Each structure stands twice: as structure tokens, then as C-alpha cells.
Amino acid sequence: MPIERAQVERIIEAVGGKDNIEAATHCVTRLRFALYDDKLVDKDALDQNDLVKGQFSSQGQYQVVIGPGLVDKVYDEMIAITGGNRASKDDVKNAASKKQNPIQRAIKTLADIFIPILPAIVTAGLLLGINNILTGQGIFFEGMSLVQVYPQWTDFAAIINTIASTAFTFLPALIGWSAVIRFGGSPLLGIVLGLILVHPDLLSAYSYADAVTKGTVPVWNLFGWEVNKIGYQGQVLPVLVSAYVLAQIEKFLNKRIADSFKLLLVAPITLLITGFLAFTVIGPVTFMIGNAITSGLVYVFALAPALGGLIYGGLYALLVITGMHHTFLAVDVQLIGTQGGTFLWPMLALSNIAQGAGALAMMLVLKDQKGKGLAFTSSVSAFLGVTEPAIFGVNIRYKYPFVFGMIGSGIAGVLLTVNHVMASSIGVGGIPGFLSIFPMNWGVFFIGMAIVLILPFSLTLAYGKLLNKRQQISDLTKAESPNANIPAETKGADDKTSALDVLEVMTPVRGRIVPLEQVPDPAFAERQMGQGIAVQPEEGKIFAPFSGKVIHIMTKSNHALILEHTSGVQILVHVGVNTVSLKGEGFTMHVKTDQTVEQGQLLMEFDRDLIQKSGYPIITPVIVPDGQEIIESIEELPGEANDLQYISMKIHLKPLSVGKE
């Protein structure tokens, strides 16, 4: 697609003019702006620009989706027009972070720490749910649990409980690892720090209250200074603050100790100082702060449970939009550690279902197949606990399903808090969330689930149908076109084709094929760049999905490339989300731009473990960029791509397109 200078000028004007641009860069798909004032952005003008496929704001950056192969040309033209300097991804990130207030930066920090350890927490939550089914009384037999009726299952349940509870027992080690990475220290020292805080020689934090009552809290006597000899199981603040201190001490020592002595001195000194500070100052102070926070929260919900449930249950979806929902992961963990369960997580699970119900109703309201498909797949994702595709892809766009979802989850929140519904673990959201709920609360929870399924769905469907009817009436009042009375089956008869050429696209990487809506990036999930599929890779190799030519490589990062078939069809393969930030680390490209490749030829390799440890999803979108006029339609075929000959898409071409020069 050729670009016109005037189109690029309109993009600059739409983001507030060159004086509103603090820094700008681009990746393989989009322009990334750090703007002085996001309020100056003219979203309607961007939507009307033929170059723009989509737009959204994320973490202080305003991102304008242009599409692969074209964004670099648009960026070059923009730099030429504005006379600005080229910026790196880090330049834009740093500029964007300046706009965030301390609270926003704190929320982002918590998100960066907790998101990488979520898989372990989700797994633990699911397994604890299975243990709840086996050991919960009254589920299958009145007043008795399954293991009481069938004692032979007791040890089986005990093993499951051991496996499941490990992630929560040693949670400080997981948090220490992730936090120290975020603060710029050595991950191994973060793990050791977390394990130190839950050492078996220490009194478990879970037993601390009883020990205080009995006056049996063990102490260390440091030259007359008695320090409580307690661990910090289930605590968040002690390990977070200690991890920050550890990272700062380590960086300080690394700058001042010669390389030949670093191995012998840096780690021991860092751990020794941090350990003493953790047990003598950081731990006791943050332990009290954490307990005060949870006690205050418990008091508020105990004082006015209905109001608390209405506010938290109703507004949780708004927290997701702002990113503030990550903050409550730490609160949930703290509540479980100090109270034995959390009353917040059940409301989260039902909020997910409510947004999914609203999105599902939109499948019946919307008329276009693309919108219907997005509504269905995103609703399934929300029902399974991942709500972002439904919120950002459907509900926010049309507004009323989002509002009806909040109404439903608010009412359900009142029901849960009034009846003191609690979760024994976190990580399992959506419909499977009942596994996290104490079995004694299942009845109330299922009633709440029925509310968030029926109410948002019914309200969205009814209101959507009403809007459609109004639109039909409005259309009837417009002037009829000359062909208005021609039967639909005869319209365009001359344009029909007798046959279509089909390009079969093989999956470029082994793994599980999933809908684009599951990609945690609005540009892909909302199909702003085009149609396609996504793959959860099982190995770190990308192969050519068809024979053709490599027309573009993101050379500085090597995380994405574009292939072109002889018919002219182009395919973008984009490994991971935001992996451009790795600056090529972990990626090895085996081809060059303009190189001809054969189907099945190795194109690139990537380090799956490195990408995941760096906190980036490895899900790999395979996109057919919009704007290719030779394409008639695209069939997306889900499945398991364990065989590289698996066909993931069939692209139907308009006649005479094959053989295009």
C-alpha cells in the first residue's frame, strides 16, 4: 500500500501535532508515542485515516497500529516531516513512565512482579480445588467428605495437597525471584532470600497468632536485643521490600568490588546484610503494616458487606481497564496468609463471567461474521478467567455490554459478601473459579454465577436488539437506492466467480493453535492488523509456512518477519508479545531480506525459556495483514500443530491473482 505525505501529516495532527510528541518510535506493527498530553489525541481523525488499523493507550504510550511492512515507511516519513530525532523503545518507555504518577508506577511494578509467577499460582489454585472436592464435607455425602467415606483416597488427597500447597508455602521465594529481577538484581539471590524468610527453623507465620497468645514466640538474642524468630509464609510486603533492598545492595557492591573478587564477596555480603535487615527491621515493620492493611479491609467489609460487595464486584472490570487489578493479587495473597481465605477473589471470578456473558450476547446482536466470531471467542476466554479480550475487544467498544456486566457482577458481589463467601486460593477465575471456593460456600457462589450469566446476557441482548431495530427504522427512512427493490439473490450476479484459487498456509511453529483473541495485545486480539491465528509454541523454531520470499525482517530485534507468496499474499509471523524489548536477545535469524525460501525451511530460532523468564508471553500471532485486495476470504483452522504440515489457514484468492509479478 503506497503512502501519501498528507496521510502521515494527518496522523501527526491527530496525535496533537509535533509539539505534543515527546518521543516516537515503532516496532514491526505500530507507531509508539510518548505524548505530552494524551487528551489532545483526535481518535476520530485516526480512525478515518486509511493508514491506521487501530489505536490504544497502554502504560503511558499511545500506540497507533499501521501494519507490518508499512509502519517503518510511515515512521520515516513522520521523522522527515517533524524533523524529530529517532528514538529507541527504551527512550519512549522512559518518556512514557515520566507521565505516570507514583501510584501508577507502583501498580506497574506490582504487575511486573506478579504476572510472571501467575502460572504457578494458577496451577496451585486448580490443584487445591481438586483437594477441596476430595476433602470438603457435604459435597457428595451429608456431613462427611469423600475421603472420610472412602479412606483409601486419603493419601491420594494428601499428595495432591502437598503438590498444590508448595507454591503458596514457598511463595516468598517466587516473589523474591520475580521482584529482584524487576529491581535489577540477580534472580538466584532473590530465590535464596525468599527461602530464607520461610526457613523451617523459623516459627511459621501461620502459627504466630497462637504463639503470641500462649507466650511461646521464639526469639534470637542479639547482645540483649530480642528479635522474633518467625517466618513470613503467606506474606507479601516483607519479601517485596527485602528484595528491593537486596537489589540495591548488590548493585552498590558490583560497582565497587573488582571483578576478580565479585564471586567471593558480592553474594555473601548482599545476603548477609539483607537477611539481618529482613529479620530485625524490614520483616517486623512490614509484617505489622500488612496485617494492619488486611485487618482494615476485613473490618470495612464486615461493617458494610453489601456496600463493599457492590463497589468491588461492580467496579472490578474498571480496575482491569486501568491495570489496577494487579494490585489486588498481593492483597488476596495477604488475606489468605493472615485470614485463611480471601473474600475478594470470588467477586473477581464472577466479574470475569459477567463480562463474558455480555460479550456472548453481542454474538447474537452483531450482524457481521467477524464481530460475531470475536464476541464468541472472547466470551469463552472470559468464562475461563481471561477477561481482557472480551473487555477490550467487544464490551468497551460497544459500551452497554460492559455496563450491564458491571451491574450483574455488582449485584452478585453483594450476594457473596453478605453470605461471607471465601476462596482458599487464587489463580482460578471464571467458571472454573468454583474450585477455589470453600465447598461450604458453593451453593451461594453458584447462585451468584447464575446472576452474572443471566442478567448481563439478557440486558445486553434486549438492549442490543432494541438498538438494531432503531437502526433498521432509521435506514428505512433514508432515500432508497435505485437497486433497492432488486432481489438480493440477483444483485451482483455479474460479479460472481466460478472458482477461487486457494493458498494453504502451513503452521510455522509446532504448538497449540488458538484464536487471535487470546493474544494479550489489543492490536492482535482486536484484529486491528488483520486476520489470522496464534500459536502457543512447543519449540523455539519458526519454519516457512509456504514457499516465497522474505520481504521484511525486524533486524534490530529479529522477533518478527514478513513472507510474500508468489501470488502476492503476505504473512506476518510475530514471535511473542512486546518481545521487541529484548533487542534481539534470544533470537537467531537464519534468513535475510529478499531471500527466497521453500516451504518448511527454517527461518529463525528463539529461546522460549529466556522470553518467558523475561516476563513476555511467547504466544505467536500469524497474521494476514489487511489491505491485500487479491484476497477474497480467509478460513482459520484451529487445531494442534504438532505436524508442520498442518494447515492453519486457507486463503481464497480472487481469480487471476496467481502468477502476479
Side-chain angles (χ1 to χ4, degrees), residues 622-641:
V622 182
I623 300 293
V624 182
D626 285 336
Q628 300 185 53
E629 297 180 355
I630 62 172
I631 297 176
E632 186 76 33
S633 63
I634 298 174
E635 294 180 53
E636 301 166 8
L637 308 175
E640 291 287 338

Side-chain angles (χ1 to χ4, degrees), residues 470-537:
R470 289 178 178 175
Q471 183 62 44
Q472 291 174 355
I473 295 174
S474 175
D475 292 341
L476 289 174
T477 61
K478 295 179 181 179
E480 293 185 350
S481 63
N483 297 324
N485 296 317
I486 298 178
E489 60 271 18
T490 65
K491 290 182 181 179
D494 294 339
D495 297 327
K496 291 184 179 180
T497 57
S498 58
L500 292 174
D501 297 314
V502 179
L503 171 62
E504 295 182 344
V505 179
M506 304 300 179
T507 307
V509 58
R510 287 188 176 92
R512 181 169 58 91
I513 297 177
V514 297
L516 276 180
E517 289 73 26
Q518 294 190 19
V519 180
D521 185 316
F524 293 115
E526 297 179 13
R527 301 175 185 263
Q528 294 176 356
M529 293 161 43
Q531 300 183 60
I533 52 98
V535 184
Q536 286 285 5

Side-chain angles (χ1 to χ4, degrees), residues 291-352:
N291 285 337
I293 293 173
T294 54
S295 297
L297 195 62
V298 169
Y299 175 78
V300 170
F301 272 82
L303 185 65
L307 181 60
L310 181 65
I311 293 175
Y312 188 80
L315 299 183
Y316 181 80
L318 281 178
L319 296 179
V320 174
I321 294 176
T322 62
M324 290 181 66
H325 63 301
H326 296 301
T327 307
F328 288 90
L329 285 173
V331 178
D332 278 310
V333 171
Q334 187 75 20
L335 283 169
I336 292 171
T338 56
Q339 304 292 324
T342 172
F343 47 80
L344 297 179
W345 191 264
M347 289 184 278
L348 174 152
L350 294 191
S351 176
N352 289 345

